[in-house]
């Protein structure tokens, strides 16, 4: 049996707090993109673990699709929550 193709790219939504923020540094062997709304938290993640960042609201799906165009995503941690007021 052949070896499975190794995963290379992970995307984590809800990356600026809670479980999402804790998850971003974990897949260190992957190229990780952190998606979130908090500019400072995204910058901290980029400095801390080298994650690429996308500042976006998950409700703006076109923006996320445009920014990830051409990126082959192997792992999606879809952690973002939407607060309603």
């Amino acid at each position: 049996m052949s070896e499975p193709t190794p995963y290379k790219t992970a995307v984590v939504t809800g990356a600026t707090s809670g479980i999402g923020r804790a998850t971003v540094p974990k897949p260190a062997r992957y190229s990780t993109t952190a998606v979130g709304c908090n500019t400072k938290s995204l910058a901290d993640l980029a400095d801390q673990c080298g994650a690429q960042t996308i500042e976006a609201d998950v409700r703006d799906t076109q923006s996320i699709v445009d920014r990830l165009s051409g990126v082959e995503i192997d792992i999606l941690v879809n952690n973002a929550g939407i607060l309603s007021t």
Side-chain angles (χ1 to χ4, degrees), residues 2-78:
S2 65
E3 292 284 322
T5 304
Y7 295 130
K8 296 179 183 177
T9 306
V11 172
V12 180
T13 66
T16 56
S17 65
I19 294 169
R21 184 172 180 88
T23 302
V24 170
K26 301 299 182 199
R29 66 180 187 209
Y30 309 119
S31 168
T32 304
T33 299
V35 180
C37 294
N38 185 299
T39 305
K40 180 171 180 352
S41 290
L42 289 171
D44 290 346
L45 282 169
D47 289 343
Q48 184 182 71
C49 64
Q52 297 174 340
T53 63
I54 295 177
E55 184 179 349
D57 186 316
V58 294
R59 295 174 289 186
D60 184 0
T61 55
Q62 190 59 55
S63 172
I64 294 169
V65 167
D66 290 346
R67 298 196 52 200
L68 289 172
S69 178
V71 176
E72 186 174 323
I73 300 168
D74 299 306
I75 300 167
L76 172 63
V77 179
N78 197 17

